[in-house]
């Protein structure tokens, strides 16, 4: 795929919302500022709920996870944050007492943890957390935390060699535009909110599906590479307020955002695309500068392809 590089950075959009999802498949947290790490925004998908076999649980099979709310102390997103045992992540769900999880690194190890193609060890958050999630989901569960000190999880090297993720599905960042969401909602009988699609970076001010074409962007002096259109699973069909699933918006998306429609000259695989997966290019010469992005930041496009036909999928 050959990029068409602009002679100068083109102002294309602005950041309208930022989200992190500390426990995979549970509710997200909206932020005004999000500190960057090479594996995603700080705290994003650091935790995973696993079943009795160590397999990660998601809304695909446990839609009730949509009802679990997460609260963080504001200082945990400060640039120079230092872990303290006194600071907690607070977990809440209907009919349950709140659960406090220390942000200090736990010491117990859980082995045989797996999520999608990856398996390894993780940090176990203990019996109290295990019992809380077991009671809520009605099956034996444990809460584990990614062990960044001893484990790595590479993304697909065909798209982003040398990059890593924690417990996110495939890539560290997901970007979506308001224009794309608006275009979809115009076709739906009942519009859906952005939380159905669980982006990290939500931008406004660009044409619908402009993000399909972005191969390199800059936000607040930080460079991101668009590596692959995001293929959607059934999670967008789950109402994040009720945990109840349906058929939309995937039925409508399939009519104009399937691989068959977007790339008619390729063999269709039944994929539906909405949003752009991204990685952050950490520039070592900028240590201490530009390590966070904020709502209101401008989005400059440095490289793009000319059409969705050329976009990586």
């Amino acid at each position: 795929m050959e990029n068409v590089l602009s002679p100068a950075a083109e102002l294309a959009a602005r950041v309208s919302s930022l989200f992190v999802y500390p426990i995979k498949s549970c509710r997200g947290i909206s932020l005004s500022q999000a500190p960057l790490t090479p594996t995603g925004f700080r705290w994003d998908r650091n935790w995973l709920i696993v079943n009795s076999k160590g397999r990660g649980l998601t809304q695909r099979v446990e839609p009730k996870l949509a009802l679990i709310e997460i609260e963080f102390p504001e200082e945990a997103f400060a640039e120079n944050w230092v872990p303290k045992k006194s600071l907690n992540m607070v977990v809440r769900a209907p009919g349950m007492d709140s659960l406090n999880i220390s942000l200090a690194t736990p010491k117990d190890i859980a082995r045989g943890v797996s999520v999608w193609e990856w398996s390894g060890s993780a940090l176990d958050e203990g019996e109290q957390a295990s019992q809380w999630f077991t009671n809520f989901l009605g099956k034996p569960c444990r809460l584990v935390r990614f062990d960044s000190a001893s484990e790595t999880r590479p993304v697909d090297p065909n798209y982003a060699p040398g990059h890593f993720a924690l417990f996110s599905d495939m890539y560290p960042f997901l970007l979506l535009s308001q224009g794309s969401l608006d275009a979809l909602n115009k076709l739906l009988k009942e519009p859906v909110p952005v939380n159905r699609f669980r982006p990290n970076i939500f931008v406004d001010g660009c044409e619908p599906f402009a993000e399909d074409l972005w191969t390199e962007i800059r936000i607040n002096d930080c460079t991101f590479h668009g590596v692959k259109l995001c293929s959607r699973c059934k999670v967008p069909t789950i109402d994040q307020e009720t945990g109840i699933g349906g058929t939309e918006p995937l039925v409508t998306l399939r009519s104009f955002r399937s691989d068959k429609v977007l790339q008619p000259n390729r063999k269709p695989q039944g994929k539906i695309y909405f949003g752009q997966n991204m990685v952050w290019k950490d520039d070592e010469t900028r240590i201490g500068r530009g390590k966070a992005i904020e709502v209101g930041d401008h989005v400059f496009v440095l490289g793009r392809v000319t059409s969705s036909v050329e976009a990586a999928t």
Side-chain angles (χ1 to χ4, degrees), residues 88-155:
N88 296 317
M89 170 176 70
V90 183
V91 185
R92 297 185 175 91
M96 302 288 293
D97 292 334
S98 60
L99 171 70
N100 291 333
I101 302 293
S102 174
L103 295 185
T105 304
K107 296 179 180 179
D108 293 338
I109 301 295
R111 305 193 186 280
V113 170
S114 61
V115 58
W116 305 127
E117 78 302 331
W118 178 89
S119 63
S121 63
L123 301 170
D124 195 304
E125 292 290 1
E127 293 303 321
Q128 184 180 8
S130 174
Q131 194 60 54
W132 193 97
F133 286 99
T134 295
N135 291 344
F136 182 68
L137 293 175
K139 60 180 65 176
C141 297
R142 301 199 74 81
L143 181 68
V144 300
R145 184 169 171 177
F146 199 91
D147 187 1
S148 298
S150 62
E151 297 282 358
T152 57
R153 183 170 171 246
V155 305

Side-chain angles (χ1 to χ4, degrees), residues 21-306:
Y21 309 86
I23 303 178
K24 183 177 178 66
S25 258
C26 297
R27 287 190 184 176
I29 300 173
S30 179
L31 302 173
S32 59
Q33 173 183 292
L36 286 163
T37 80
T39 54
F41 288 141
R42 185 191 297 165
W43 304 118
D44 190 46
R45 276 85 169 198
N46 276 41
W47 286 269
L48 176 71
I49 304 162
V50 298
N51 63 16
S52 59
K53 297 181 179 179
R55 186 70 179 170
L57 298 178
T58 74
Q59 288 185 35
R60 294 167 177 83
V61 294
E62 295 291 345
K64 280 185 66 176
L65 293 177
L67 305 180
I68 298 176
E69 299 182 25
I70 313 297
E71 180 183 323
F72 259 70
E74 186 175 342
E75 63 187 280
F77 295 98
E79 185 175 351
N80 298 314
W81 179 81
V82 176
K84 299 176 183 177
K85 288 186 178 181
S86 60
L87 290 181
N88 296 317
M89 170 176 70
V90 183
V91 185
R92 297 185 175 91
M96 302 288 293
D97 292 334
S98 60
L99 171 70
N100 291 333
I101 302 293
S102 174
L103 295 185
T105 304
K107 296 179 180 179
D108 293 338
I109 301 295
R111 305 193 186 280
V113 170
S114 61
V115 58
W116 305 127
E117 78 302 331
W118 178 89
S119 63
S121 63
L123 301 170
D124 195 304
E125 292 290 1
E127 293 303 321
Q128 184 180 8
S130 174
Q131 194 60 54
W132 193 97
F133 286 99
T134 295
N135 291 344
F136 182 68
L137 293 175
K139 60 180 65 176
C141 297
R142 301 199 74 81
L143 181 68
V144 300
R145 184 169 171 177
F146 199 91
D147 187 1
S148 298
S150 62
E151 297 282 358
T152 57
R153 183 170 171 246
V155 305
D156 189 335
N158 293 315
Y159 293 95
H163 287 273
F164 301 86
L166 300 185
F167 289 134
S168 59
D169 268 7
M170 291 297 295
Y171 298 92
F173 301 94
L174 175 61
L175 182 147
L176 183 66
S177 75
Q178 181 73 60
S180 299
L181 181 61
D182 290 345
L184 168 63
N185 279 333
K186 287 179 181 178
L187 302 175
L188 295 173
K189 292 181 179 178
E190 296 184 12
V192 296
V194 68
N195 64 11
R196 292 285 191 103
F197 302 100
R198 305 176 70 80
N200 298 109
I201 305 171
F202 193 44
V203 304
D204 198 3
C206 60
E207 292 295 316
F209 311 109
E211 66 269 28
D212 286 5
L213 312 182
W214 297 346
T215 57
E216 187 173 3
I217 64 173
R218 182 176 296 145
I219 305 174
N220 192 20
D221 216 19
C222 299
T223 302
F224 297 83
H225 291 274
V227 295
K228 184 180 184 294
L229 298 187
C230 181
S231 60
R232 309 310 308 215
C233 63
K234 67 179 286 187
V235 170
T237 67
I238 299 169
D239 187 321
Q240 297 297 294
E241 300 304 316
T242 65
I244 298 173
T247 59
E248 291 288 13
L250 287 192
V251 170
T252 296
L253 278 172
R254 186 175 289 110
S255 69
F256 74 111
R257 294 292 299 174
S258 69
D259 53 358
K260 183 178 181 179
V261 173
L262 293 180
Q263 299 176 323
N265 295 327
R266 300 185 190 181
K267 183 179 179 180
Q269 299 180 9
K271 304 285 189 180
I272 299 171
Y273 297 110
F274 199 63
Q276 175 78 265
N277 288 305
M278 294 200 149
V279 296
W280 172 45
K281 184 179 180 182
D282 185 11
D283 187 342
E284 295 297 336
T285 67
R286 302 182 192 273
I287 294 284
R289 300 196 300 122
K291 295 296 183 180
I293 64 175
E294 300 180 9
V295 169
D297 280 347
H298 290 140
V299 180
F300 294 92
V301 175
L302 307 181
R304 67 168 78 229
V305 292
T306 57

